Amino acid sequence: MSMIPDISVQLVHIQGPRKGDIQEINDADISIGRHPDCQVAFPKDMTNISRIHARIVREGNRFKLIDTSTNGTYVNGQRISEAFLKDGDVVMFTENGPKVSFLTQTGASQPGAPQALPLTAPRAVSVTSAPLQPPPPRETPAPPRAAVPPAAPAPPGRPMQPPPAVAAALAGIETVKVPFAIQYGPALKSFHSLPIVIGSGPGCDFPIPHAAVRERHAQIFFTANQYWIKDLTGAAGITINGLPINTQTALEAGMQIALGANGPRFRFIGGGRLAQIDEPATQEAQPPSAAPPPPPASETAGTETKKGGGLFKKFFS
């Protein structure tokens, strides 16, 4: 039997009333609009969005976006009536309306139509064939290993990385089956167990190609019924709400996390979701500098003194 891939659609809301939301939908027909039965539902007072504004329909291993609206649906800035979507496409509902980033994730396969034979199929043996040869003697099984084997010395050159489960055990962090999702730009990746490592190195679970991100920058793990983040840089490379963390700290909804002084910034939404934010970092108001001494009277004669007021912006996370 052939296996039909189980593909889920992931929509990252990057503009509009649901900005920051990440939806993962497994339906083959996804409706979008103001109707409350839509899988992607917008507020009823958004009258520029139709009740059934658009649909995403699976056709084989592809997904087609169908516009059913009055004010239009756009893919990467172009208005469409129908279009097949690919990972990273930005879909906008009405001009300057809500935007989502379209992504897919392939999971376990499901049985479907019969599949072709493998390239090296086993050869059938007829009753007239030569008698079967006895199987080769079994090798003596090796003695059972310890639960966490000691790390082998790395060969010269490239260091050897242990498997994630072994590395987690050596670090004293247990592997826990909990969901976690990270959105960075158009990329969205879901995990089904923790811990994971974020960094710029190729061996990381979630690589971020950014100059401010170290090769192994942060670790996300789950313990005591809570999500945690750990600084792997050893140089105060992670700040939360503008303050560096002391090795590791528990994550709470609304926290703003920065990977390095000039690195990417994220918001922990809660429920195991970490989404990139592109707002300017909150800056502390600087104390006003001392007023300059008044100019000589000769220079101010006949002039009018003006008092200026400063404008302060308050940023709330």
Side-chain angles (χ1 to χ4, degrees), residues 153-181:
R158 183 178 181 181
M160 182 179 64
Q161 298 293 338
V166 175
L170 292 173
I173 299 175
E174 295 182 356
T175 300
V176 182
K177 290 186 177 181
V178 291
F180 197 80

Side-chain angles (χ1 to χ4, degrees), residues 296-305:
S298 60
E299 297 182 9
T300 60
T303 62
E304 182 180 359
T305 303

Side-chain angles (χ1 to χ4, degrees), residues 16-88:
R18 302 189 59 173
K19 181 178 179 180
D21 285 356
I22 302 173
Q23 291 185 271
E24 184 168 349
I25 307 171
N26 294 315
D27 298 337
D29 193 332
I30 303 169
S31 57
I32 304 156
R34 289 187 292 116
H35 195 282
D37 292 339
C38 291
Q39 290 95 325
V40 184
F42 291 104
K44 294 181 179 179
D45 58 358
M46 293 191 68
T47 55
N48 57 334
I49 300 291
S50 300
R51 286 173 60 82
I52 306 295
H53 195 97
R55 294 167 54 225
I56 298 177
V57 180
R58 179 173 177 175
E59 294 187 1
N61 292 339
R62 299 195 298 171
F63 290 86
K64 179 189 288 187
L65 176 66
I66 304 173
D67 176 40
T68 58
S69 70
T70 302
N71 295 326
T73 301
Y74 299 77
V75 176
N76 299 328
Q78 300 294 323
R79 185 166 181 171
I80 58 93
S81 57
E82 292 184 358
F84 283 102
L85 297 173
K86 61 183 182 298
D87 281 2

Side-chain angles (χ1 to χ4, degrees), residues 46-236:
M46 293 191 68
T47 55
N48 57 334
I49 300 291
S50 300
R51 286 173 60 82
I52 306 295
H53 195 97
R55 294 167 54 225
I56 298 177
V57 180
R58 179 173 177 175
E59 294 187 1
N61 292 339
R62 299 195 298 171
F63 290 86
K64 179 189 288 187
L65 176 66
I66 304 173
D67 176 40
T68 58
S69 70
T70 302
N71 295 326
T73 301
Y74 299 77
V75 176
N76 299 328
Q78 300 294 323
R79 185 166 181 171
I80 58 93
S81 57
E82 292 184 358
F84 283 102
L85 297 173
K86 61 183 182 298
D87 281 2
D89 280 347
V90 175
V91 181
M92 181 171 61
F93 307 106
T94 77
E95 189 173 1
N96 297 321
K99 286 183 183 180
V100 299
S101 178
F102 173 86
L103 295 161
T104 58
Q105 179 170 328
T106 303
S109 301
Q110 298 177 351
Q115 65 176 358
L117 289 175
L119 294 179
T120 56
R123 183 169 59 92
V125 180
S126 66
V127 294
T128 58
S129 302
L132 296 176
Q133 298 296 324
R138 294 184 178 181
E139 296 181 358
T140 304
R145 294 185 177 181
V148 180
R158 183 178 181 181
M160 182 179 64
Q161 298 293 338
V166 175
L170 292 173
I173 299 175
E174 295 182 356
T175 300
V176 182
K177 290 186 177 181
V178 291
F180 197 80
I182 306 177
Q183 176 260 322
Y184 177 71
L188 172 66
K189 188 172 182 180
S190 298
F191 302 92
H192 302 290
S193 64
L194 295 178
I196 60 170
V197 174
I198 302 171
S200 59
C204 292
D205 301 288
F206 191 86
I208 298 180
H210 193 287
V213 177
R214 302 284 186 93
E215 185 173 356
R216 291 171 58 84
H217 203 110
Q219 183 183 60
I220 306 293
F221 64 97
F222 190 88
T223 187
N225 202 31
Q226 198 165 10
Y227 292 93
W228 294 70
I229 187 169
K230 182 176 183 180
D231 188 350
L232 301 180
T233 66

